[in-house]
Amino acid sequence: MITHPSRHCTVELQALPSRIGQVRRIVSAQLRYWHMDLLIDRAVLGVTELLTNVHLHARPDKTCTVEIELLLDRLTVSVRDHDPRLPVVDDAEPLATCGRGLAMVAAMSESWGARPDGESGKVVWFTLPTAVTAAPVTAPPVTTRPPRRLVEEVPAAAFAEVEHAVDLGSPQPAPARSAVVG
């Protein structure tokens, strides 16, 4: 079921990978409708992480509700599921392929949290500010250029002797070639 009064949108779903993509498109479209295009990337990233957590960890089922609410100064995105266990933020190992979702949500949002929802569920949420504060305008840094150098003449025969061996361990610049017939 999808409801969307002027500043509120709710989607109920099974947190399955195919449905997560649909919710991302719904969130994107709703934010475009509200003219909040600058929030789309972060909102979609956050809702993806929260839904992935439901998919991976929620018990007894994967049923959840995604809710987005636009207030004057903030967008709140929340995911409600039927698992009463609150999420735990772990320090992921450097080469771990999972375990960074909530840390990413915390880093890209204004605030986030989790709260029990009755006796058999929880709500995990994050907020994004709607007011975009402009960075102070500063003059670009002044850079000094090195003095111009003349390119030495190189006989065309030198280019014919260039080896074509490739060392994939360390990138090497490609040899310069001239389009002018010498």
Side-chain angles (χ1 to χ4, degrees), residues 53 57 86-93 96 98-104 112:
N53 282 350
H57 305 294
L86 295 177
V88 176
V89 180
D90 288 328
D91 289 330
E93 294 294 322
C98 60
R100 293 182 180 84
L102 288 176
M104 204 165 24
W112 80 279

Side-chain angles (χ1 to χ4, degrees), residues 16-150:
L16 303 173
S18 61
R19 295 298 313 250
I20 293 171
Q22 291 172 339
V23 172
R24 290 164 39 141
R25 289 187 292 280
I26 291 168
V27 169
S28 296
Q30 187 65 52
L31 291 177
R32 271 191 215 86
Y33 178 75
W34 288 339
H35 304 289
M36 291 287 143
D37 297 47
L38 293 175
L39 299 179
I40 291 173
D41 289 340
R42 290 183 295 154
V44 166
L45 173 65
V47 79
T48 300
E49 292 302 327
L50 297 185
L51 288 173
T52 300
N53 282 350
V54 172
H55 174 70
L56 294 175
H57 305 294
R59 293 186 189 107
D61 61 40
K62 308 300 180 190
T63 303
C64 63
T65 303
V66 175
E67 190 173 356
I68 59 176
E69 183 177 25
L70 180 61
L71 301 174
L72 291 176
D73 62 343
R74 90 178 44 86
L75 175 76
T76 302
V77 178
S78 60
V79 174
R80 174 177 282 114
D81 66 37
H82 297 220
D83 189 340
R85 298 173 299 154
L86 295 177
V88 176
V89 180
D90 288 328
D91 289 330
E93 294 294 322
L95 298 178
T97 58
C98 60
R100 293 182 180 84
L102 288 176
M104 204 165 24
V105 169
M108 64 88 192
S109 66
E110 178 181 59
S111 60
W112 80 279
R115 66 179 183 273
D117 185 40
E119 293 182 20
S120 62
K122 69 177 169 298
V123 177
V124 183
W125 55 269
F126 65 91
T127 63
L128 301 172
T130 59
V132 178
T133 55
V137 177
T138 59
V142 177
T143 58
T144 57
R145 289 185 157 184
R148 290 183 173 212
R149 295 180 300 148
L150 294 176

